[in-house]
Amino acid sequence: MSAGRTPWALLVLLTAGLSDVVRGVPDGSPGNFCNRVPSGHGAAKHRGDNGFAIKVEGQPDSYVPGEVYTVLITSTSPVQFRGFMLVSTAQEDETKPLGTFQLVDQEETKMTGGCPTAVTHKRSGLKQRVEFLWVAPEEGSGCVTFRATVVQSRLIWFMDDGALALTLCEENDVAIMPKMAEKKEVANCTACGAGKYRMTFYGLWSQQTHPKDYPKYGTHWSAIIGATHSKDYTIWEYGGYSTEGVKQVAEWGSPTKLEREMKEQGNKIRTVVKTDPQWPAYEPRNIKAPVSSDFGVDSEHHLLSFLTMLGPSPDWNVGLSNFDVCQGDQWLDRTEMDLYPWDAGTDSGITYESANSPTIPREKIRPITSQDPKNPASPWYSARGKSFPPVARIVIERTGIMDNGCHGKTSRDDEEDIDIFSEEISLSKAEKKERKRNKDRNRGRDKGRDRHGHDHDHDGSHKLTKGDLTISMGTMAVNSTAVKIWWAPPSNVHSSILGYLVYYQEGQKLLGPNVLEIPDGETTQIVLGGLEPESPYTIRVVAYTMEQSNIQSEPAMVTTLPDTSIVDVPCLYSPWSEWSDCSVQCGKGVRKRNRVLKSLPSPMCTDELEQTEQCMGPRPSCDVEVLETPPEDLTAIPVEGLPAVVQLAWQPPEEAQGTIMDYFVFYIKENSTDWKTVQVPGDQLTLTLTDLVPGRSYYFRVQGRNALGVGPVSDPIIYNPKQAAEQQRKMQSPVWEQDLFGREEDSKQTDMVVVDLNAAYEFEDYEIDEGQPDHKQQENDDKKKAIHCMVSDWSEWALCSRSCGRKGGVQQRTRETKQKPKHGGKSCPPRKETRRCNVGRKCPKHCKLGKWEAWSECTVTCGEGIQMRTRPVFREPKFGGRECSSTLQKRVCLREAC
């Protein structure tokens, strides 16, 4: 073996060995599913990846079962590779193949013989990238790892290190959604006493975390509204239908109706959970603290439900449904949960800016995922099912347990603790009287003194003595839903004040079911929100220390202001829609845009909902027409010896409507979705492209532009550089071949080959020049009888390449050679004939419609009415063109009941 041949021989062995050693391991035998180590080289694997990498087009974070992906092996220029092998297997088990490969370039790649799930090279030539189609495995397959072996040269190869291994896990939005979407049976609670909890809400919904189309204005979380309740009541649940109260929260962010619905449930409710709204939806925690709410639970009322609206949105929310804080006989200590959006099923809007569109009848409450709704306009949608991060997070922490005597504590002391903490809105008057009678029996009928030294009457109420400590308190109505409360702490408290409890109740009850805890002894004023408009409230402040819990104010009465004093919810408008198309096809017209009121209707919300401005039609002048026909006769011409180069040529549009200013040439590789564009001056009718890949087919199109805009795009033509070069080579081969040794041979006739890519340009007939035969051969031929060429009859004319146009198209007919000429016989006539067809026939002009204008106002102000919208006709059909579809649409609109 010569020295010059050694490297190539070993390289062939190396790359061939990479394919030859691929074997499937028999069932039950140890080892990998495919042996991907090259054989016959004697060199060890190099560490790292040397710039070689496995890539998946689009760089998805995960895969969708059954979807098709493009998988590539690439190198970093100028490094190239000669051989490779690629497999896709389970992440944890390399012997288990997952997914299937499909070849893209069958001349360079192949499926391996002994390992049918692997792909490898077919030739050992230098390459910088290879690609395959990969069909993802079925649902439930788990994570897939792509593993590659790459041979760079005779003694250098890499495998599985760095970027030569890539893992994708199965995408499953449903699995990512909280498991609370699954309906669970609620167990009985046997935990002792009553639990005290704090829920903190962290909004994560922001421009940075949202998939797409985050609202530009007005983002907020509505006031959280919910309750702790028994298992025989449900506020909302997946698969159920929204009540009117849930609907008003979901669409308008208004908690009033839902709070009334909950309070009507009587003893099924223990604590109403409320917070203030959050404007804007997201702010860093060092700027604005998250909202929180305290609540109480007991063995009967141990479920927590709440919701809050993503504003502005059609009817999208987050929340908890029937979350159980009781774990058998124990109270939950702490939990943290991510929240994802759900659809209340009351509005059919798809985007944040959608106009109000009531869903009639209502649909079931369901989680929102990247595939539901399966509409590309949805801001949550992902074509590949890519999941999105949570939009909120809640933390629930236990802050205390009040024993009611079930663990041996003094019943009287425990009941006093529960009195101060509980928010039992469900007790009827009779039930409350019965409870007081029970307390009296437990404490005894006689007057006594409690642990704080206070006297008690037989009804259990406190009688303040001279030594009692009291709080001086003041109140003032702020607006229709809030009051301001301030107080002065007592000056002679023996220990530090740890915090305050603010009790409030609609009406004149001294100790209401609603309580707000302020775990800060320094705070001396608050604004209490979420109240009913124009309603009286009784308020009392209680301070607590390490030793005392009955330092309290006298009850005070305050009435909130009427609705008209201050609007509860700001006037919230959607962003302006896009401007409508101009009302005219040429000259001056008008265009409109509109927006909708997203908050509840109010006399205070008087800003305009529609704007109008002047515009110019698509054609500035009504005397000039737009470009209506595409460039003609697009042709692709190969360049000799340069398979990656092609020259394109075309003719101007039949109806140019003035000077062509530019041409746009579009081209794309087969099986790709990425069109490339080249702009060409209007006086140029050719373009040379130099970046084609030999062996791959391409599509070409061209479009013209005049002073009024671009016209239609030409029909695509297909071109394969390798096939075109082969046809060109045949065109340049000799027409006649003669035996160099003077022996007689049949004449060999080769038809001229025209590179015809779209059958839209003329063919020429080529006369074959036989030349003068050799004189000696002529003398021999004279001695034989001449045999003339014989041809068949002409075939029928083929279909015309174009059905219309100024130059029309071309059509062909052919005939066959039955007898070739011999011994000086007459040569054959042309076997192809071409002629023009459909010249000057007018091409069909299809109807051209504009965009839909905005919906009109509803025809009624209450009840059920009609809305309409129209779209303009820019061009009527001509010469048999497609007729116009509907230009008028109607839909039902619902307003408040009359």
Side-chain angles (χ1 to χ4, degrees):
M1 184 178 294
S2 65
R5 186 180 175 187
T6 301
W8 290 106
L10 288 177
L11 180 59
V12 170
L13 286 174
L14 176 61
T15 54
L18 183 57
S19 298
D20 295 340
V21 299
V22 179
R23 305 179 184 92
V25 177
D27 292 341
S29 61
N32 293 334
F33 178 74
C34 293
N35 181 8
R36 295 181 290 112
V37 177
S39 63
H41 56 86
K45 182 188 86 168
H46 278 59
R47 294 182 179 179
D49 55 33
N50 199 34
F52 301 117
I54 301 172
K55 297 181 180 179
V56 179
E57 198 170 82
Q59 299 180 337
D61 297 327
S62 53
Y63 71 86
V64 178
E67 288 289 320
V68 179
Y69 298 87
T70 300
V71 181
L72 309 96
I73 297 179
T74 64
S75 65
T76 303
S77 181
V79 178
Q80 296 177 304
F81 60 98
R82 291 187 176 274
F84 69 91
M85 181 176 294
L86 177 64
V87 296
S88 61
T89 63
Q91 182 183 23
E92 304 297 335
D93 185 2
E94 192 176 345
T95 67
K96 180 182 178 181
L98 289 178
T100 55
F101 287 103
Q102 296 178 2
L103 301 181
V104 174
D105 188 348
Q106 299 187 6
E107 295 186 0
E108 294 292 338
T109 60
K110 65 178 182 179
M111 308 298 295
T112 57
C115 182
T117 60
V119 286
T120 186
H121 59 276
K122 196 172 185 179
R123 302 176 182 175
S124 58
L126 290 172
K127 50 186 75 71
Q128 285 190 315
R129 85 179 237 157
V130 291
E131 64 180 74
F132 305 91
L133 297 180
W134 179 73
V135 182
E138 62 184 9
E139 187 174 349
S141 298
C143 296
V144 175
T145 298
F146 297 94
R147 299 177 170 91
T149 302
V150 174
V151 175
Q152 181 177 344
S153 62
R154 178 166 59 94
L155 299 176
I156 302 176
W157 61 281
F158 305 86
M159 185 174 76
D160 294 358
D161 289 344
L164 289 177
L166 175 65
T167 298
L168 292 180
C169 292
E170 179 179 350
E171 183 61 272
N172 188 344
D173 272 342
V174 176
I176 294 173
M177 293 296 292
K179 290 195 174 180
M180 55 189 159
E182 303 172 3
K183 195 167 184 177
K184 297 179 180 179
E185 292 295 329
V186 179
N188 290 329
C189 177
T190 59
C192 189
K196 181 179 180 182
Y197 285 89
R198 169 163 295 167
M199 180 188 77
T200 305
F201 181 91
Y202 298 90
L204 307 177
W205 178 48
S206 68
Q207 178 75 52
Q208 289 70 36
T209 62
H210 195 57
K212 62 176 184 176
D213 301 337
Y214 187 73
K216 296 179 181 179
Y217 313 101
T219 61
H220 66 282
W221 295 102
S222 70
I224 291 176
I225 181 67
T228 54
H229 55 90
S230 60
K231 64 181 181 179
D232 53 355
Y233 173 60
T234 297
I235 296 175
W236 71 271
E237 64 179 341
Y238 292 106
Y241 292 93
S242 296
T243 65
E244 186 61 29
V246 171
K247 174 180 181 292
Q248 289 198 14
V249 174
E251 294 187 15
W252 305 107
S254 173
T256 305
K257 177 66 175 177
L258 181 56
E259 186 172 358
R260 287 175 181 167
E261 289 180 357
M262 293 188 300
K263 290 182 178 181
E264 289 170 359
Q265 295 300 315
N267 59 9
K268 297 178 183 178
I269 296 293
R270 176 182 171 101
T271 307
V272 173
V273 177
K274 294 192 290 187
T275 71
D276 291 332
Q278 299 179 73
W279 293 78
Y282 177 80
E283 282 189 321
R285 296 182 193 174
N286 61 344
I287 298 177
K288 184 178 181 180
V291 297
S292 62
S293 179
D294 292 333
F295 61 89
V297 291
D298 55 36
S299 60
E300 185 68 24
H301 309 88
H302 51 94
L303 300 180
L304 170 65
S305 299
F306 76 87
L307 67 153
T308 174
M309 177 195 72
L310 288 79
S313 69
D315 58 344
W316 303 337
N317 313 263
V318 299
L320 283 182
S321 174
N322 297 336
F323 178 74
D324 198 345
V325 296
C326 180
Q327 300 176 324
D329 60 353
Q330 299 290 326
W331 292 114
L332 176 72
D333 182 49
R334 185 184 188 277
T335 189
E336 184 172 325
M337 287 175 285
D338 290 335
L339 301 181
Y340 292 82
W342 49 271
D343 190 307
T346 61
D347 191 291
S348 299
I350 291 295
T351 71
Y352 290 109
E353 301 177 8
S354 296
N356 294 327
S357 178
T359 302
I360 301 175
R362 294 179 185 178
E363 296 177 350
K364 292 181 178 180
I365 295 173
R366 67 185 189 279
I368 295 173
T369 71
S370 61
Q371 291 287 292
D372 184 10
K374 199 162 189 176
N375 187 325
S378 167
W380 311 98
Y381 176 78
S382 167
R384 294 197 178 276
K386 183 178 179 181
S387 63
F388 48 80
V391 296
R393 180 174 298 127
I394 61 165
V395 176
I396 299 175
E397 297 178 284
R398 193 181 69 216
T399 58
I401 295 179
M402 279 141 292
D403 200 304
N404 62 0
C406 59
H407 287 160
K409 291 182 65 178
T410 303
S411 176
R412 182 176 61 186
D413 295 343
D414 297 334
E415 288 195 13
E416 284 204 9
D417 289 338
I418 296 174
D419 277 347
I420 294 176
F421 162 69
S422 71
E423 308 168 27
E424 291 140 347
I425 66 171
S426 58
L427 299 180
S428 65
K429 292 182 179 179
E431 290 171 326
K432 289 180 180 180
K433 289 180 180 179
E434 178 63 25
R435 175 172 175 168
K436 288 183 179 181
R437 284 195 293 271
N438 290 336
K439 289 181 181 180
D440 288 338
R441 284 192 290 268
N442 290 335
R443 297 178 180 181
R445 296 283 182 178
D446 297 330
K447 181 177 178 181
R449 297 183 63 83
D450 64 12
R451 56 179 174 167
H452 302 302
H454 294 95
D455 291 331
H456 289 273
D457 281 342
H458 294 293
D459 64 358
S461 61
H462 290 301
K463 288 221 175 196
L464 301 179
T465 65
K466 186 176 180 180
D468 282 331
L469 302 175
T470 59
I471 298 174
S472 174
M473 180 188 70
T475 61
M476 180 184 72
V478 175
N479 56 37
S480 61
T481 61
V483 296
K484 184 177 180 179
I485 308 168
W486 66 92
W487 59 89
S491 59
N492 54 348
V493 178
H494 297 300
S495 59
S496 299
I497 295 177
L498 301 179
Y500 296 92
L501 297 173
V502 178
Y503 290 91
Y504 60 101
Q505 170 65 34
E506 187 175 358
Q508 298 182 359
K509 300 174 185 177
L510 294 182
L511 186 60
N514 303 307
V515 62
L516 174 66
E517 182 179 9
I518 304 169
D520 174 14
E522 301 298 323
T523 300
T524 59
Q525 66 175 9
I526 63 167
V527 174
L528 182 64
L531 307 180
E532 292 292 328
E534 205 170 1
S535 298
Y537 281 85
T538 302
I539 297 173
R540 179 167 58 180
V541 176
V542 177
Y544 58 90
T545 68
M546 291 293 292
E547 300 174 352
Q548 295 171 293
S549 59
N550 66 332
I551 308 169
Q552 53 189 294
S553 69
E554 291 293 331
M557 180 75 73
V558 62
T559 301
T560 54
L561 299 177
D563 256 334
T564 54
S565 59
I566 291 183
V567 179
D568 293 354
V569 180
C571 295
L572 179 62
Y573 299 92
S574 70
W576 286 105
S577 67
E578 296 294 329
W579 285 103
S580 67
D581 290 332
C582 200
S583 60
V584 296
Q585 300 179 39
C586 57
K588 290 185 178 181
V590 294
R591 62 178 185 171
K592 299 178 181 179
R593 67 175 184 175
N594 55 58
R595 60 180 177 177
V596 296
L597 179 65
K598 301 293 285 187
S599 57
L600 288 171
S602 166
M604 302 293 292
C605 302
T606 58
D607 292 345
E608 60 182 345
L609 299 179
E610 182 177 86
Q611 290 183 343
T612 302
E613 70 174 15
Q614 286 191 341
C615 59
M616 295 297 295
R619 300 196 302 271
S621 172
C622 295
D623 300 327
V624 181
E625 295 187 1
V626 296
L627 191 61
E628 295 185 346
T629 57
E632 298 183 339
D633 301 341
L634 178 60
T635 307
I637 306 167
V639 178
E640 181 181 358
L642 298 174
V645 179
V646 66
Q647 186 179 50
L648 301 175
W650 61 88
Q651 293 299 316
E654 178 182 359
E655 301 173 9
Q657 302 295 343
T659 303
I660 299 296
M661 302 177 66
D662 301 284
Y663 290 102
F664 298 95
V665 177
F666 308 97
Y667 67 105
I668 189 173
K669 186 165 56 177
E670 194 173 23
N671 297 325
S672 175
T673 58
D674 184 19
W675 283 89
K676 296 182 179 180
T677 307
V678 179
Q679 188 172 358
V680 180
D683 58 354
Q684 181 176 323
L685 297 176
T686 61
L687 172 66
T688 300
L689 298 175
T690 61
D691 60 347
L692 306 189
V693 178
R696 297 296 299 274
S697 295
Y698 286 81
Y699 293 91
F700 299 103
R701 306 181 75 175
V702 63
Q703 179 185 42
R705 182 176 73 90
N706 64 7
L708 301 182
V710 295
V713 184
S714 68
D715 293 333
I717 65 171
I718 188 169
Y719 174 81
N720 186 293
K722 189 171 183 180
Q723 294 177 0
E726 180 64 20
Q727 289 182 345
Q728 189 181 53
R729 186 189 64 77
K730 290 180 179 180
M731 290 172 59
Q732 296 171 348
S733 62
V735 176
W736 293 97
E737 294 184 5
Q738 295 181 347
D739 183 29
L740 296 177
F741 297 96
R743 291 193 299 268
E744 180 180 357
E745 262 193 8
D746 289 344
S747 301
K748 296 181 179 179
Q749 181 176 352
T750 302
D751 289 326
M752 183 66 71
V753 178
V754 179
V755 183
D756 177 16
L757 299 170
N758 63 348
Y761 56 92
E762 295 185 47
F763 291 86
E764 298 290 344
D765 293 330
Y766 295 89
E767 295 292 339
I768 300 174
D769 183 9
E770 300 179 20
Q772 296 298 322
D774 183 84
H775 291 295
K776 292 183 179 181
Q777 184 66 35
Q778 183 67 43
E779 292 176 1
N780 293 332
D781 290 343
D782 288 343
K783 299 177 183 179
K784 299 180 180 180
K785 184 177 180 181
I787 300 176
H788 303 301
C789 175
M790 294 181 62
V791 294
S792 67
D793 293 334
W794 287 107
S795 67
E796 296 294 328
W797 287 103
L799 293 176
C800 191
S801 63
R802 294 192 64 177
S803 61
C804 60
R806 182 181 58 187
K807 295 183 180 179
V810 293
Q811 61 183 166
Q812 278 187 317
R813 65 177 182 175
T814 60
R815 53 186 173 185
E816 302 295 328
T817 300
K818 291 185 175 181
Q819 173 64 59
K820 295 181 180 180
K822 293 184 179 181
H823 316 312
K826 293 182 179 179
S827 60
C828 293
R831 294 187 297 173
K832 291 182 182 178
E833 192 172 72
T834 305
R835 71 179 183 185
R836 286 266 177 202
C837 50
N838 294 333
V839 176
R841 179 177 294 179
K842 293 290 186 180
C843 293
K845 307 291 185 186
H846 302 309
C847 173
K848 186 175 181 182
L849 297 171
K851 295 181 180 179
W852 287 104
E853 295 180 353
W855 288 100
S856 68
E857 292 294 325
C858 193
T859 55
V860 298
T861 57
C862 62
E864 181 176 317
I866 297 294
Q867 285 179 293
M868 296 181 291
R869 67 175 182 177
T870 60
R871 55 179 174 179
V873 177
F874 283 168
R875 182 177 66 195
E876 297 287 349
K878 298 179 181 179
F879 315 123
R882 187 169 50 248
E883 294 295 327
C884 298
S885 57
S886 173
T887 58
L888 174 66
Q889 286 185 345
K890 298 181 180 180
R891 70 179 183 186
V892 175
C893 52
L894 297 176
R895 295 294 181 262
E896 296 293 331
C898 296

